[in-house]
Amino acid sequence: TFYYFIRLCLDKVLLQCVLQSRTLSGADAINALRPFYFAVHPDFFGQHPKEREVNENSLKRLNGYLENLQKPGFRSFKPTQLTFYVREREPNSSNVQESFSASGFRAVSFTLHTRDLLSTVLDILNSCSLSTEHVQSLNENSQPHKEAKSTANRPIKWDKTYYSFTGFKDPEEELEQAQRVETTLMSWLDDNEASAVKKLKKSLPLRKELERLKFELSHELQLSDIRWQRSWGIAHRCSQLHSLGRLVQQRPEVLKNVKGRTVVFTDRSGMSAAGHVMLGTMDVHHHWTKIFERLPNYYKLQKRLLFLEDRISQLLGGIQVIHIEELQPLLTLEEYYETLNSFYNKLRDSRLPFHPRSLRGLQMILESDRYAPSLHEFGHFMIPTVCDPAALPWFIFAKAQEARENLKRKEEMMITEKELIETSTEKFSLDRLYKEPGVSSAQMIDCCKRLLEESLPYLQGMHLCISHFYSVLQDGDLCIPWNWK
């Protein structure tokens, strides 16, 4: 015990030396953040869809931030605020399945503004109250002047005594335990069908209430649609619609501007890049009222945004600029306009050799977290806002034919997907079959084809969601991975 005490004291001193003597490589940073990844990984939040989605979105932004730090000469950083739900461990638990407290997790928010990997890694670990003691060993394994270069980039492999002393779980042990128990679709349905049916029956009155509220508000306000950004439960959604209904009764005059629009309940209020009215679920009526009052100004900004998209399209041979909500971060109208304006100014100063309308029929989206252009499997070009305009022509010309083929394939896949969903819904007498945004059309098609080969009486009258994991949602929806066994 005394030895460990001395060692920990020395480690803290050495950690300060590391801060001054070296920077981390990308591999080092990933190894150093392993305890963090195991604490926040979305796969461990299967029973909590809201928290899982928050962690998914935050991890995407964090990975983009870490990638930026590794780009040579990159100096343009914006402070990035992140929120994670961190799994909490019971201090004396030795079993993986019992190693979490009653609450299960806690919310942690922090802002990254560091400009090197080491400081960023330490900020993340400290913000989540995770140990940083192991980071100092990277100094020993990764110093460039070490003679034993073959071990410079080896993964961190801690002695088992480290985990028993610190109370942390061995990540390799957790992974091995998870892999040893392979869940099959049949066995999972056997174990969870009764629970799902019970929850579904309990939720039916609320589901009817939700449909009634949605229909009445859509009709009264003449809305195009009402949506939700997150997988909130039925009760939560009803509460949000009741809240909007009260505002309609109190201030009917401010809602006249929302006619023909889509209302989305999300994390913040404003107007989205797609032109939808966003109502932050944590905001009070006063904030919502201000958004409705500002709608005429938002509509003016949207016209300017559409003009920018058209100008960019003309400079790039007629390629259409689009925004895909399912594939891009949720941006406000102001954020998206700023992105378009910055990109347009760069293009305007460059003389690009695109013949007018030569790329008509093709599509592109702008991305702020990439550095090289790419072609998505759905056929649209993914163009980084920071890329050199001079590098665009050769890439787009080289990929134009492939892009057209991908777009055609996408249309065919969407038709096939829709037909398979209808066939599967009918065969299994499902009340509803749907997928999460993260599941691609190809994955959905593969899943449905294999489902249709099975006999699944369990699914009659159920709500089935195709996802990346198994879970029963609080309202009785069954979630199964698209690549189920």
Side-chain angles (χ1 to χ4, degrees):
T1 303
F2 178 76
Y3 168 78
Y4 278 117
F5 174 77
I6 296 297
R7 176 63 184 269
L8 287 176
C9 292
L10 289 173
D11 285 352
K12 290 181 180 179
V13 175
L14 287 171
L15 187 58
Q16 299 302 318
C17 297
V18 174
L19 286 168
Q20 301 171 2
S21 64
R22 67 177 296 273
T23 57
L24 294 184
S25 68
D28 289 337
I30 292 173
N31 283 326
L33 287 173
R34 284 182 74 184
F36 165 76
Y37 286 130
F38 273 91
V40 304
H41 199 283
D43 286 352
F44 292 110
F45 290 79
Q47 298 291 339
H48 306 280
K50 174 186 174 183
E51 288 75 16
R52 178 178 56 81
E53 189 168 0
V54 169
N55 283 9
E56 283 179 345
N57 292 333
S58 293
L59 279 175
K60 289 177 183 176
R61 297 179 64 199
L62 172 60
N63 290 338
Y65 190 93
L66 295 176
E67 287 178 8
N68 288 348
L69 292 177
Q70 299 173 66
K71 298 297 178 181
F74 190 77
R75 292 293 179 268
S76 177
F77 285 93
K78 291 182 179 179
T80 300
Q81 184 173 1
L82 301 172
T83 296
F84 285 99
Y85 286 94
V86 181
R87 297 192 296 155
E88 290 199 294
R89 300 177 180 276
E90 293 286 4
N92 298 319
S93 176
S94 59
N95 186 286
V96 172
Q97 298 301 321
E98 301 172 354
S99 61
F100 302 102
S101 66
S103 63
F105 47 78
R106 55 191 167 86
V108 175
S109 295
F110 52 92
T111 301
L112 295 178
H113 47 73
T114 47
R115 293 175 176 267
D116 65 274
L117 279 174
L118 181 57
S119 299
T120 303
V121 166
L122 292 173
D123 276 2
I124 293 169
L125 295 174
N126 285 323
S127 297
C128 297
S129 300
L130 297 171
S131 173
T132 58
E133 303 294 342
H134 61 287
V135 181
Q136 63 85 21
S137 71
L138 297 172
N139 192 39
E140 301 169 0
N141 291 336
S142 304
Q143 285 286 5
H145 62 266
K146 283 277 184 180
E147 292 182 1
K149 292 183 179 179
S150 61
T151 63
N153 293 319
R154 68 186 179 196
I156 300 173
K157 189 172 181 65
W158 295 98
D159 189 89
K160 299 298 180 183
T161 55
Y162 166 78
Y163 299 104
S164 60
F165 176 73
T166 61
F168 285 109
K169 286 294 177 183
D170 184 345
E172 292 183 0
E173 185 179 322
E174 280 192 302
L175 205 55
E176 288 171 5
Q177 283 198 0
Q179 290 172 343
R180 277 198 295 269
V181 183
E182 185 177 27
T183 303
T184 65
L185 177 61
M186 296 302 182
S187 65
W188 187 81
L189 288 175
D190 278 335
D191 294 338
N192 293 276
E193 185 255 351
S195 170
V197 169
K198 183 178 179 180
K199 291 181 178 180
L200 180 61
K201 286 182 178 178
K202 186 178 179 181
S203 74
L204 289 179
L206 276 177
R207 290 181 186 271
K208 291 181 181 178
E209 174 73 358
L210 179 67
E211 289 302 313
R212 182 187 68 81
L213 289 169
K214 185 176 177 181
F215 173 80
E216 289 180 357
L217 281 171
S218 297
H219 178 73
E220 185 172 1
L221 298 176
Q222 300 183 54
L223 299 175
S224 174
D225 195 10
I226 297 177
R227 301 179 190 171
W228 286 265
Q229 180 199 3
R230 303 198 181 285
S231 304
W232 283 301
I234 304 298
H236 196 170
R237 297 187 183 200
C238 285
S239 176
Q240 292 160 359
L241 291 184
H242 277 299
S243 188
L244 179 59
R246 285 193 296 272
L247 181 59
V248 173
Q249 298 301 319
Q250 296 166 6
R251 299 290 304 277
E253 73 282 358
V254 302
L255 285 109
K256 63 180 184 297
N257 296 320
V258 79
K259 179 181 177 181
R261 294 283 167 167
T262 293
V263 168
V264 182
F265 289 97
T266 181
D267 293 330
R268 52 180 174 167
S269 298
M271 179 169 278
S272 73
H276 303 325
V277 179
M278 302 190 301
L279 299 181
T281 57
M282 300 302 291
D283 292 339
V284 295
H285 282 182
H286 174 68
H287 295 107
W288 288 5
T289 301
K290 283 189 173 182
I291 295 302
F292 288 122
E293 289 174 342
R294 287 197 208 117
L295 285 180
N297 291 330
Y298 279 123
Y299 297 155
K300 290 178 184 177
L301 180 60
Q302 188 179 28
K303 288 182 179 179
R304 292 165 58 194
L305 184 148
L306 294 173
F307 173 77
L308 271 179
E309 287 184 338
D310 185 59
R311 294 296 297 155
I312 292 172
S313 175
Q314 291 179 25
L315 292 173
L316 294 178
I319 190 170
Q320 182 185 7
V321 183
I322 61 174
H323 182 82
I324 305 177
E325 286 185 301
E326 295 80 6
L327 300 178
Q328 296 179 261
L330 185 66
L331 298 176
T332 64
L333 196 68
E334 297 94 330
E335 291 169 340
Y336 189 46
Y337 178 83
E338 187 178 326
T339 298
L340 284 172
N341 192 46
S342 174
F343 187 69
Y344 170 67
N345 289 332
K346 289 176 66 174
L347 291 182
R348 188 178 57 181
D349 297 334
S350 307
R351 293 187 176 181
L352 300 180
F354 289 108
H355 189 275
R357 301 186 179 183
S358 60
L359 299 178
R360 198 172 182 181
L362 297 181
Q363 299 174 341
M364 62 166 276
I365 64 174
L366 283 174
E367 294 209 330
S368 57
D369 58 351
R370 291 176 179 268
Y371 292 86
S374 60
L375 178 63
H376 193 274
E377 61 178 338
F378 287 168
H380 57 265
F381 288 96
M382 304 169 74
I383 307 299
T385 56
V386 298
C387 74
D388 180 6
L392 286 179
W394 70 267
F395 180 80
I396 294 178
F397 287 143
K399 297 286 186 177
Q401 183 57 36
E402 184 181 350
R404 296 186 190 279
E405 293 171 358
N406 286 3
L407 283 170
K408 183 179 180 181
R409 191 181 307 116
K410 173 193 171 184
E411 293 177 1
E412 294 170 349
M413 287 179 65
M414 291 182 70
I415 293 172
T416 303
E417 179 184 7
K418 183 179 178 181
E419 291 174 348
L420 284 171
I421 289 175
E422 291 174 351
T423 304
S424 300
T425 301
E426 182 179 351
K427 175 179 178 178
F428 301 116
S429 300
L430 289 163
D431 194 70
R432 185 188 178 202
L433 174 59
Y434 63 103
K435 67 175 184 177
E436 289 194 333
V439 177
S440 69
S441 292
Q443 291 170 338
M444 188 67 173
I445 289 171
D446 175 71
C447 177
C448 289
K449 283 182 176 178
R450 293 190 299 115
L451 280 176
L452 288 169
E453 297 174 358
E454 304 292 329
S455 175
L456 301 169
Y458 306 94
L459 300 181
Q460 184 173 354
M462 301 302 294
H463 291 244
L464 182 63
C465 174
I466 308 304
S467 176
H468 292 279
F469 56 86
Y470 287 103
S471 71
V472 178
L473 301 185
Q474 59 186 347
D475 295 303
D477 294 48
L478 289 166
C479 289
I480 65 170
W482 68 271
N483 57 344
W484 53 270
K485 304 296 183 184

